[in-house]
Amino acid sequence: MDPITLGIIVAIALIVLMAIGTPIAFALGGISLLALIYDRGLPELVYFGETFFDRIAEFGFVAIPMFILMGAAVASSPTGRDLYRSLDLWMGRLPGGLAVSNIGACTVFSALSGSSPATCAAIGKMGIPEMRTRGYPDGVAAGCIAAGGTLGILIPPSVTMIIYGISTETSIGRLFIAGVMPGLMLAGLFMAWTMIACRLAGGYANPMAQAAAQVKQNVKANVDANLKALVRVLPFLAVIAGILFALYGGVATPSEAAGVGAFLCVALAVLIYRMWQVGPIKLIMRDSLRESVMIMLVIACAEVFAYALSSMFITQTVAAAIADMEVNRWVLMGVINLFLLVAGFFLPPVAVIVMTAPILLPIILAADFDPYWFAVVLTINLEIGLITPPVGLNLFIIKGIAPDISLRNILMGSLPYALCMVLGIVLLCFFPGIALWLPNLIMG
């Protein structure tokens, strides 16, 4: 069978499996198994097992559960609450100040957790009820948290950047620092749209004015408490700064830095918030183990899926077709962005990176694009997939936090932020220095 036709059949089968609710890892693994048996016969099952285990046996992947443990220690402690209160102290006077505070909290919490779902859940549990009680529209309240949570896979330390670095054999430290400025840029775009949306929804008129006045009174009455909350958050921020310094300074590998960071965050959570009972520690370990196993299982099955596609010459045919396109390199980049955007609609970021990054990297290099710049563009495309159907993980997390808000309202509130991400990609195309200036300055 023609490789392109075979690839279309495999893609349709994968979409059907996910549409009926099959977990991503099982869908990828099942389709891979059937495809290999069809193409090579039953003896190929030996290579299925070898490929599955060999890929996740790489030492670099040790950093993933360690960073997840670090994020779970932060997410399962009152750190998010303290961070939220502290930012509300400084941003409460802006138009839509509480919503802007939530995006700021998501930005900082992303650096602490490195996970979009954890960021979305931790800040959303506090921010959405508070915004709704103060008169904010449901769409704004849900949308700003869903979008702010996506920053978790861009702002370092980022699990997806680690996976990209291992898949493409690029520097993880350089990838981390390349995500800093674009992450802050997206946070700024989110905040700008939030203030515009709040103005369009009535600004400080009528109920919003009363809510704003109440915010100021509460802030003045609780300045001491909010400052104390900020002091409790600072040690966690110091850990992040230390990890980034160790990575960029060549002091430690990502796995070593992640291990130390995980230990320190768990220790700080226990000491600062007096989490001496077994229950909270068990919760941290359970959450980190569950997410780590899920990610590693997706990585292993995605690697087998990529091996199956390669063995049937599907990836080589597609890559050759893209490379042979006699078009301007920016048209080529547009096609790749569209492909990544559609892939992000159906697959989690981890699966997309493992399957596509090794294939797309030679094409990107041949077109004279920087691989670290492309990592940022790829990640923003995958961020869009987190707040767009049919998968839209962050949308369903928000729905779980606020079940009385309709999925339509959550989606409509999130779409403007998706357009902000598209604007961010456009800005990166015109000004690649947004992603490359800082790593070039620090690392040469």
Side-chain angles (χ1 to χ4, degrees):
M1 188 181 296
D2 176 72
I4 295 295
T5 304
L6 190 57
I8 293 173
I9 293 173
V10 169
I12 292 174
L14 182 62
I15 292 171
V16 169
L17 281 178
M18 290 191 294
I20 63 176
T22 307
I24 299 294
F26 296 157
L28 289 170
I31 291 296
S32 305
L33 188 61
L34 293 175
L36 286 171
I37 292 175
Y38 167 80
D39 189 59
R40 300 289 183 88
L42 290 176
E44 192 68 15
L45 294 179
V46 175
Y47 298 102
F48 179 94
E50 288 181 359
T51 305
F52 185 94
F53 287 106
D54 285 350
R55 181 57 173 168
I56 56 176
E58 291 189 22
F59 181 73
F61 281 128
V62 173
I64 293 176
M66 292 295 99
F67 276 126
I68 290 173
L69 175 58
M70 187 172 72
V74 174
S76 300
S77 69
T79 307
R81 178 201 65 199
D82 288 343
L83 179 63
Y84 176 80
R85 291 175 59 185
S86 302
L87 287 170
D88 191 21
L89 170 66
W90 303 108
M91 297 183 178
R93 297 183 180 181
L94 295 172
L98 186 59
V100 173
S101 300
N102 277 281
I103 294 176
C106 286
T107 304
V108 180
F109 199 89
S110 295
L112 293 172
S113 69
S115 168
S116 289
T119 301
C120 197
I123 304 300
K125 288 176 183 177
M126 299 167 291
I128 291 177
E130 189 70 15
M131 283 189 284
R132 297 180 74 192
T133 57
R134 297 189 191 183
Y136 283 78
D138 288 349
V140 173
C144 71
I145 297 292
T150 65
L151 297 171
I153 63 172
L154 180 59
I155 296 177
S158 163
V159 171
T160 54
M161 288 293 191
I162 295 173
I163 296 170
Y164 178 92
I166 294 174
S167 299
T168 61
E169 298 182 353
T170 48
S171 166
I172 294 175
R174 198 176 188 91
L175 288 169
F176 277 2
I177 202 167
V180 173
M181 296 302 293
L184 296 177
M185 176 189 69
L186 284 185
L189 291 174
F190 291 168
M191 290 180 180
W193 166 249
T194 300
M195 290 188 282
I196 293 171
C198 290
R199 287 289 190 186
L200 294 175
Y204 285 103
N206 299 329
M208 293 288 283
Q210 298 175 4
Q214 185 65 39
V215 169
K216 292 180 181 179
Q217 292 177 5
N218 291 341
V219 166
K220 291 179 180 178
N222 297 296
V223 167
D224 290 342
N226 290 336
L227 288 177
K228 289 179 181 178
L230 178 61
V231 170
R232 287 194 292 267
V233 172
L234 289 178
F236 292 94
L237 298 179
V239 170
I240 299 298
I243 289 174
L244 297 181
F245 173 79
L247 288 174
Y248 305 148
V251 177
T253 66
S255 300
E256 294 166 346
V260 174
F263 171 77
L264 290 177
C265 281
V266 172
L268 287 173
V270 171
L271 294 174
I272 294 176
Y273 297 104
R274 303 184 183 279
M275 297 168 59
W276 306 109
Q277 297 84 0
V278 175
I281 304 299
K282 182 179 178 181
L283 180 64
I284 292 173
M285 298 300 175
R286 186 202 69 186
D287 290 347
S288 59
L289 180 63
R290 181 178 296 171
E291 188 170 351
S292 298
V293 170
M294 182 270 292
I295 289 177
M296 297 302 286
L297 189 60
V298 170
I299 291 173
C301 290
E303 182 63 25
V304 174
F305 185 73
Y307 169 73
L309 295 182
S310 177
S311 68
M312 294 183 290
F313 295 98
I314 295 173
T315 53
Q316 294 92 326
T317 304
V318 173
I322 295 175
D324 290 341
M325 292 174 62
E326 296 181 0
V327 295
N328 181 279
R329 70 187 193 121
W330 289 108
V331 175
L332 177 64
M333 178 55 63
V335 172
I336 291 174
N337 273 286
L338 183 61
F339 165 73
L340 292 172
L341 191 62
V342 173
F345 288 163
F346 298 97
L347 295 170
V350 170
V352 175
I353 290 173
V354 173
M355 289 190 295
T356 64
I359 301 168
L360 293 176
L361 186 66
I363 300 171
I364 292 299
L365 295 176
D368 199 27
F369 288 109
D370 186 274
Y372 299 96
W373 171 87
F374 176 68
V376 175
V377 172
L378 180 150
T379 303
I380 296 176
N381 273 291
L382 301 182
E383 283 184 323
I384 297 174
L386 290 172
I387 57 173
T388 49
V391 177
L393 179 60
N394 284 14
L395 300 179
F396 294 103
I397 290 176
I398 296 297
K399 182 64 177 175
I401 294 171
D404 55 326
I405 300 180
S406 69
L407 197 58
R408 180 182 180 276
N409 276 347
I410 298 173
L411 176 60
M412 295 305 294
S414 302
L415 282 180
Y417 295 98
L419 295 178
C420 288
M421 295 182 201
V422 174
L423 176 59
I425 293 174
V426 173
L427 290 174
L428 280 167
C429 290
F430 279 103
F431 308 103
I434 296 173
L436 301 178
W437 170 77
L438 194 57
N440 289 341
L441 177 67
I442 294 178
M443 305 184 73

